[in-house]
Amino acid sequence: MLAAALCIPCFSLERSSDLYKQGASLAMKGDIDGAIEKFRKAVEAGPYYCLAHYGLGKAYLYKYGMIDEAIIHLRESVMLDRKLARGHFYLGMAYLLKRNYVYAVHSFKAAYEADDSMIEALYNIGVAYDMMGKDYNAVIYFRKYYAEKNNEGGDSLF
């Protein structure tokens, strides 16, 4: 009896993982509505599976008027896995689209800290600071981005 009870979470995670993969495949083919349906089922099957929330949140970013829903699921994905760099990155994108620039900066910084090869986060931090009118901070991050992109430590933007 105990063995059966312990396998239920395993089955749910396996089912959720399969649904996530199906949703990702549909999204890559451009079927965002189909992907959203699969990701919703993945979240239902495994509410603690970070990639299910990530997939659903990212898919919502592609749907007009669903930024708030995207933020809910992307935030859940990074709460479940603090090192999910791509979750932090797309959460930053959602906040940027929502014009919540302070939260966008925090999310992009978390993405870069989790994965320092994600240099686009540095560029987006610069964009967020620029949108806030913080030119000095924007220039710092644009320079960091270009230095990383060019693998040089120079001061020049170009």
Side-chain angles (χ1 to χ4, degrees), residues 86-108:
R86 55 190 169 160
H88 287 291
F89 183 85
Y90 284 103
L91 180 58
M93 292 301 295
Y95 283 134
L96 202 60
L97 292 170
K98 194 75 174 162
R99 297 183 180 167
N100 191 334
Y101 303 122
V102 173
Y103 284 155
V105 166
H106 290 296
S107 294
F108 288 130

Side-chain angles (χ1 to χ4, degrees), residues 28-69:
M28 293 296 291
K29 294 175 184 172
D31 182 4
I32 301 303
D33 291 328
I36 287 172
E37 186 58 34
K38 291 294 182 182
F39 291 137
R40 280 184 186 152
K41 288 179 181 178
V43 168
E44 289 172 14
Y48 300 109
Y49 183 44
C50 68
L51 289 181
H53 287 282
Y54 164 77
L56 185 54
K58 187 175 174 186
Y60 280 148
L61 278 178
Y62 286 90
K63 293 292 289 181
Y64 181 77
M66 300 198 78
I67 296 173
D68 291 333
E69 292 86 350

